[in-house]
Amino acid sequence: EAQVTQNPRYLITVTGKKLTVTCSQNMNHEYMSWYRQDPGLGLRQIYYSMNVEVTDKGDVPEGYKVSRKEKRNFPLILESPSPNQTSLYFCASSQNRYSGANVLTFGAGSRLTVL
Amino acid sequence: QRVTQPEKLLSVFKGAPVELKCNYSYSGSPELFWYVQYSRQRLQLLLRHISRESIKGFTADLNKGETSFHLKKPFAQEEDSAMYYCALRGDYGQNFVFGPGTRLSVLP
C-alpha cells in the first residue's frame, strides 16, 4: 500500500532530551515536507526537501533539523526539545513533476509532548 | 507565494449552502488544492483545480482574475464538519504553501 509512515505516533519526553521522528514513504516521491499543527494556528511548515541532499527551511524551522540522505526517508530531529515544541507533527510527500501528479500524501501524525 | 483563508471558523446549518474562501498570491500558473482533515484522521486531498471534478458534492473553480479558489457545496451535511486547508504549488520545483485553514462546523 502506498503510504507515508511516521514513528513514533505518540511521544512524551522531557526538555533537552534529543529525539528523532522518522518519516518514510514507499512511493518514490522526490518531495518531502514536515509540518506542525497547533490549535488556532493551522498547519505550519518546518522544513521541506525537493530531493536527496536538498533541504530548505519552511516557516518555523527554529529548534529543528532534518536530513535527506536517501529518497524514502526524511527524519525530523529535535536536538534539545522545549515545551513550545509540543505539537502534532505531520510528514508529507509528493512527486515533483511539472504538473498533474503533484499531490501531497500525508502521514498519520506524531503527537509530541515535551515536559 | 501566499495563501489566505479569511475565516478561521465557519458555522452553517445542515442543508444550507457553504462557501469556504481561499485567495492566493502567485505570479505564474499555480496548482491549487483543497485538503480536508476530519476528526482524528490525517489530512487528505479533497480536490484540485486541474481535475475539475466534484468530490463529496464539493466544487472549486480557479478564478485567475480574482486569484481565488473558493470551495463550495450547495447543501452542507453534518459529516462535512472538518478542518479545510487551501494549498498552492507554483511552477516545477516549487514548495507547497498552505493557508491557515478554516474549521467548518455543520449544525443539525
Side-chain angles (χ1 to χ4, degrees):
Chain A
E1 181 189 355
Q3 60 185 351
V4 176
T5 304
Q6 297 178 226
N7 280 298
R9 294 287 315 281
Y10 302 92
L11 179 63
I12 300 174
T13 189
V14 295
T15 299
K17 186 176 180 182
K18 180 180 178 180
L19 68 92
T20 299
V21 186
T22 63
C23 174
S24 179
Q25 50 92 4
N26 61 0
M27 296 167 281
N28 201 36
H29 284 169
E30 296 88 1
Y31 177 93
M32 297 186 75
S33 181
W34 275 104
Y35 303 87
R36 60 179 289 175
Q37 186 178 41
D38 302 287
L41 297 177
L43 207 62
R44 294 181 292 169
Q45 190 179 49
I46 304 170
Y47 270 96
Y48 64 99
S49 170
M50 288 297 180
N51 214 323
V52 176
E53 301 290 3
V54 181
T55 62
D56 211 341
K57 295 178 180 179
D59 298 319
V60 288
E62 295 79 19
Y64 304 94
K65 283 175 59 177
V66 294
S67 68
R68 188 89 183 273
K69 294 188 172 63
E70 35 181 1
K71 203 172 190 180
R72 63 182 293 125
N73 296 322
F74 190 45
L76 180 69
I77 303 158
L78 286 74
E79 293 271 2
S80 183
S82 62
N84 65 12
Q85 292 179 298
T86 293
S87 187
L88 179 59
Y89 292 87
F90 287 100
C91 180
S93 72
S94 168
Q95 289 175 313
N96 189 22
R97 303 267 177 89
Y98 282 95
S99 66
N102 301 311
V103 174
L104 274 176
T105 300
F106 281 85
S110 296
R111 185 166 293 282
L112 170 65
T113 301
V114 184
L115 302 175
Chain B
Q1 293 177 244
R2 190 167 177 232
V3 177
T4 57
Q5 296 177 249
E7 303 122 338
K8 272 195 170 181
L9 175 65
L10 184 63
S11 297
V12 301
F13 285 102
K14 177 183 172 182
V18 61
E19 181 179 45
L20 286 79
K21 290 184 166 51
C22 170
N23 288 89
Y24 67 90
S25 60
Y26 185 73
S27 57
S29 294
E31 295 180 69
L32 274 296
F33 309 84
W34 276 100
Y35 280 83
V36 60
Q37 186 180 28
Y38 301 104
S39 180
R40 300 185 181 280
Q41 293 187 28
R42 67 182 73 192
L43 281 106
Q44 56 188 283
L45 178 71
L46 180 62
L47 52 80
R48 48 182 170 155
H49 86 274
I50 61 169
S51 300
R52 304 182 70 84
E53 55 193 345
S54 173
I55 304 291
K56 299 185 178 184
F58 284 99
T59 59
D61 291 317
L62 179 60
N63 185 323
K64 291 189 177 181
E66 295 183 0
T67 59
S68 68
F69 189 56
H70 302 329
L71 183 68
K72 300 176 184 178
K73 185 170 182 176
F75 308 104
Q77 302 299 315
E78 289 182 68
E79 55 265 30
D80 296 328
S81 295
M83 191 74 174
Y84 291 81
Y85 290 97
C86 183
L88 171 152
R89 188 171 190 264
D91 298 322
Y92 172 73
Q94 296 293 314
N95 191 17
F96 283 85
V97 176
F98 279 80
T102 297
R103 181 166 297 282
L104 175 64
S105 177
V106 181
L107 308 171

